[in-house]
């Protein structure tokens, strides 16, 4: 598949509703995950005394459980988000390997293509816990590179799986599976195919991943590799571009914990996304969740910028959960819906806030449109007007007549909905970027204050009749008349409703 960096059909960032539309297509994603498979074991119990043998706590275990970690956790997250994953990695002939095999067999959406290597231990991390506190972690592993037989077996599994996927994730935990021989062979092989390759790195030398389209280092990893701090946006941008040159790829996505994400694409301005986490309980596995969401979104056909936004939202949910956690497709949809409601509230602004917002849009070179009306009952004519208005500008303001203004214009029985109800409905409309209220009979004062570039009105007016049209033209703007749909008006709708009673 061809990697699309941005959605060329859209001139503004996607709304959460538009992102949710992408999430509903996640079932189309087919992803091959290659890398270090890890078993995460947890031994949880109570500590009531200190050992008489040494100054250490004595743990009485009450519960044992294990979960998929590393590359296996990436595959698990892909499945819980609704995609399909094939997992290629290495396990040993030991109990940890058996546990991983059992967990994968119980996971719908993940096809195991694991290679068993006798004499090579399965990577296993055992955490001894009391409550939410970790007392000790025991790591049983080898970081030795694959031997020739292991490399051949892994490449055979990769070769057998490539034809069934659109995206490849290299999940490197520096446990030896993605050794020089494996990385070189995989990247050489994928260079001859259409798959998008995402590399989640652990090496300090990013040139090892040359050939991957997207690199996803965290702040620490990019700092070690580029010797550039990435705490602030400008530094993250610079570090990302150095990393981009090292890989020769299309993009670098720097994950910056509480500072969100920075997406650096070749020949484009960096995209800085603030974190969407409302609260942080545990960051364990959040990187795996983010990479999984990025891969699934790309596999579903999303542009890279949209996929990064969805990955950011998914990681924000993940860190709110204790332990290594997955995020389901429904959880992501629920979070996007909640954020959309919050964003709807934020669209409604007083005039002073609207002036500041428009000034910011103008500083960024955006064309600002302005439409006004009572909008008492939204009907197809209104929808047509708003869509056409938004097509003529980069940002659209809708100014609503206040209740008092509507009464003066329409009579004592109007409006049917109060001004805040009308503002809330209008703010929920996708073409609308800002909603504000005016109390005068005309929006002339508001037009003077906001200085829009485009003034939009229905075609039942002439250009000369549009209030404020001469003002907008005086500062270089224009008036756009939108063709109205016949048979649709609020007054006509009310008349039909009352006649039917």
């Amino acid at each position: 598949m061809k990697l699309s960096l941005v959605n060329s059909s859209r001139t503004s960032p996607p709304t959460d509703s538009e992102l949710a539309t992408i999430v509903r297509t996640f079932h189309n994603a087919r992803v091959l995950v290659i890398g270090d498979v890890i078993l995460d074991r947890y031994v949880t119990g109570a500590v009531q005394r200190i050992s008489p043998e040494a100054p250490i706590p004595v743990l009485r275990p009450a519960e044992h459980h294990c979960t998929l970690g590393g590359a296996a956790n990436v595959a698990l997250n892909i499945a819980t988000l609704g995609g399909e994953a094939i997992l290629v990695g290495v396990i040993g002939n030991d109990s940890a390997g058996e546990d991983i095999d059992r967990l994968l067999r119980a996971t719908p959406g993940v096809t195991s293509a694991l290679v068993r290597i006798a004499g090579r231990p399965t990577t296993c991390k055992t955490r001894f816990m009391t409550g939410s506190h970790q007392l000790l972690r025991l790591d049983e592993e080898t970081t030795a590179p694959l031997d020739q037989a292991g490399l051949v077996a892994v490449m055979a599994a990769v070769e057998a799986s490539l034809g069934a996927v659109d995206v490849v994730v290299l999940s490197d935990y520096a446990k030896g599976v993605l050794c020089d021989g494996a990385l070189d062979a995989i990247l050489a092989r994928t260079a001859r195919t259409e798959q998008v390759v995402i590399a989640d790195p652990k090496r300090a030398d990013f040139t090892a991943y040359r050939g991957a389209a997207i690199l996803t280092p965290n702040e620490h990893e990019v700092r070690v590799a580029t010797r550039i701090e990435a705490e602030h946006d400008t530094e993250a941008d610079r570090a990302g571009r150095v990393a981009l040159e090292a890989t020769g790829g299309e993009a670098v996505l720097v994950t910056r914990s509480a500072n969100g994400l920075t997406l650096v694409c070749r020949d484009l301005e960096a995209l800085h996304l603030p974190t969407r986490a409302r609260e942080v309980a545990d960051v364990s596995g959040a990187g795996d969740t983010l990479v999984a969401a990025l891969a699934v979104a790309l596999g579903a056909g999303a542009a890279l910028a949209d996929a990064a936004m969805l990955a950011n939202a998914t990681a924000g949910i993940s860190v709110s959960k204790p332990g290594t956690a997955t995020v389901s497709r429904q959880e992501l949809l629920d979070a996007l819906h909640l954020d959309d409601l919050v964003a709807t509230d934020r669209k409604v602004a007083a005039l002073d806030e609207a002036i500041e917002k428009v000034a910011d849009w103008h500083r960024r070179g955006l064309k600002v449109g302005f439409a006004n009306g009572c909008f008492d009952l939204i009907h197809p004519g209104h929808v047509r007007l708003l869509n056409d208005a938004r097509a003529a500008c980069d940002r659209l303001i809708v100014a609503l007549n206040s209740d008092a203004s509507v009464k003066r214009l329409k009579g004592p029985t109007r409006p049917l909905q109060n001004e805040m109800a009308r503002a809330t409905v209008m703010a929920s409309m996708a073409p609308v970027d800002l909603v504000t209220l005016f109390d005068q009979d005309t929006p002339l004062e508001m037009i003077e204050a906001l200085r829009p570039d485009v003034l939009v009105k229905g075609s039942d007016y002439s250009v000369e009749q549009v209030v404020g049209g001469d003002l907008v033209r005086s500062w270089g703007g224009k008036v756009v008349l939108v063709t109205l749909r016949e048979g649709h008006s609020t007054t006509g709708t009310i008349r039909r409703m009352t006649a039917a009673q």
Side-chain angles (χ1 to χ4, degrees):
M1 63 182 290
K2 183 177 175 58
L3 178 61
S4 173
L5 300 180
V6 295
N7 189 329
S8 58
S9 66
R10 199 171 51 229
T11 59
S12 60
T15 64
D16 282 347
S17 293
E18 289 171 326
L19 292 177
T21 299
I22 298 172
V23 174
R24 294 187 182 95
T25 67
F26 274 8
H27 61 277
N28 294 322
R30 304 288 182 269
V31 184
L32 173 60
V33 182
I34 312 167
D36 298 298
V37 174
I38 299 172
L39 182 70
D40 287 322
R41 280 180 173 153
Y42 296 86
V43 179
T44 305
V47 172
Q48 297 177 332
R49 65 191 180 97
I50 300 298
S51 170
E53 302 167 357
I56 56 174
V58 175
L59 179 69
R60 287 181 175 270
E63 180 186 354
H64 299 73
H65 75 277
C66 53
T67 61
L68 296 169
N73 187 41
V74 176
L76 175 61
N77 271 275
I78 289 167
T80 57
L81 284 167
E84 296 283 338
I86 301 174
L87 177 62
V88 173
V90 168
I91 55 175
N93 287 323
D94 48 25
S95 62
E98 293 297 330
D99 285 337
I100 286 175
D101 188 54
R102 172 180 55 80
L103 290 170
L104 287 174
R105 280 188 275 107
T107 305
V110 178
T111 300
S112 174
L114 295 181
V115 174
R116 284 187 180 269
I117 299 180
R120 186 181 180 98
T122 302
T123 301
C124 179
K125 300 178 181 180
T126 304
R127 296 167 177 85
F128 297 89
M129 312 283 295
T130 178
S132 60
H133 300 289
Q134 191 173 145
L135 301 176
L136 177 70
R137 193 178 89 181
L138 173 65
D139 287 5
E140 300 168 275
E141 63 185 26
T142 179
T143 59
L146 296 174
D147 60 20
Q148 186 59 31
L151 178 59
V152 169
V154 165
M155 286 309 300
V158 170
E159 191 68 41
S161 306
L162 270 177
V165 301
D166 298 309
V167 179
V168 176
V169 173
L170 304 178
S171 180
D172 192 354
Y173 272 81
K175 307 304 179 189
V177 171
L178 291 175
C179 56
D180 290 343
L183 261 182
D184 292 345
I186 292 167
L187 292 171
R189 180 64 183 84
T190 54
R192 305 194 302 270
T193 65
E194 292 293 318
Q195 284 91 356
V196 173
V197 179
I198 304 169
D200 192 16
K202 278 296 180 288
R203 299 183 183 216
D205 182 3
F206 286 168
T207 59
Y209 306 99
R210 195 166 187 84
I214 305 167
L215 197 71
T216 60
N218 61 31
E219 187 177 324
H220 169 73
E221 290 160 350
V222 82
R223 181 172 64 247
V224 170
T226 66
R227 295 181 173 84
I228 299 172
E229 295 289 337
E231 181 179 359
H232 302 293
D233 288 355
T234 54
E235 297 167 338
D237 184 359
R238 192 158 61 92
R241 295 196 186 280
V242 172
L244 193 58
E245 290 308 310
T247 64
E250 296 289 339
V252 172
L253 182 64
V254 183
T255 60
R256 299 165 53 205
S257 191
N259 293 318
L261 307 177
T262 292
L263 176 63
V264 178
C265 298
R266 195 172 296 282
D267 301 324
L268 294 174
E269 283 189 21
L271 175 64
H272 304 289
L273 302 176
T275 180
R276 293 184 66 148
R278 290 188 172 83
E279 58 183 39
V280 177
D282 195 332
V283 298
S284 301
D288 294 337
T289 303
L290 183 140
V291 171
L294 182 72
V296 171
L298 292 173
L304 178 55
D306 295 354
M309 293 177 191
L310 285 167
N312 191 33
T314 308
I317 301 168
S318 173
V319 298
S320 69
K321 301 180 178 184
T324 302
T326 59
V327 176
S328 71
R329 185 175 70 161
Q330 190 58 52
E331 284 178 302
L332 180 54
L333 286 170
D334 290 345
L336 291 172
H337 178 62
L338 176 61
D339 286 346
D340 214 20
L341 291 176
V342 172
T344 293
D345 289 341
R346 289 175 181 160
K347 283 185 183 180
V348 182
L351 179 58
D352 56 347
E353 294 177 85
I355 290 171
E356 289 184 16
K357 179 65 75 174
V358 171
D360 177 62
W361 288 340
H362 278 150
R363 279 192 297 271
R364 292 158 54 191
L366 299 174
K367 186 186 298 182
V368 178
F370 181 98
N372 68 277
C374 301
F375 295 100
D376 201 359
L377 290 176
I378 298 294
H379 55 68
H382 291 145
V383 175
R384 168 75 175 273
L385 175 73
L386 295 172
N387 282 329
D388 286 359
R390 188 60 168 77
C393 59
D394 299 313
R395 297 290 185 271
L396 177 62
I397 304 167
V398 174
L400 296 178
N401 293 76
S402 68
D403 288 351
S405 176
V406 175
K407 284 186 187 298
R408 291 195 301 271
L409 293 171
K410 303 289 186 180
T413 61
R414 301 280 297 277
L416 299 181
Q417 300 186 91
N418 67 41
E419 58 195 38
M420 287 316 298
R422 289 183 288 123
T424 300
V425 171
M426 183 56 65
S428 71
M429 304 293 286
V432 178
D433 297 288
L434 197 67
V435 179
T436 191
L437 293 158
F438 65 96
D439 198 43
Q440 298 78 21
D441 289 345
T442 75
L444 185 61
E445 292 181 23
M446 184 162 283
I447 292 169
E448 288 181 302
L450 296 175
R451 295 178 66 86
D453 307 291
V454 181
L455 189 57
V456 182
K457 204 68 180 174
S459 58
D460 51 342
Y461 288 79
S462 68
V463 171
E464 291 73 23
Q465 291 174 319
V466 176
V467 173
D470 53 343
L471 274 176
V472 173
R473 291 196 301 273
S474 73
W475 54 65
K478 65 178 181 178
V479 177
V480 173
L481 300 181
V482 174
T483 302
L484 299 177
R485 296 186 63 175
E486 293 184 10
H488 294 289
S489 72
T490 301
T491 301
T493 301
I494 295 171
R495 188 182 298 119
R496 289 192 294 272
M497 290 169 60
T498 55
Q501 292 178 353

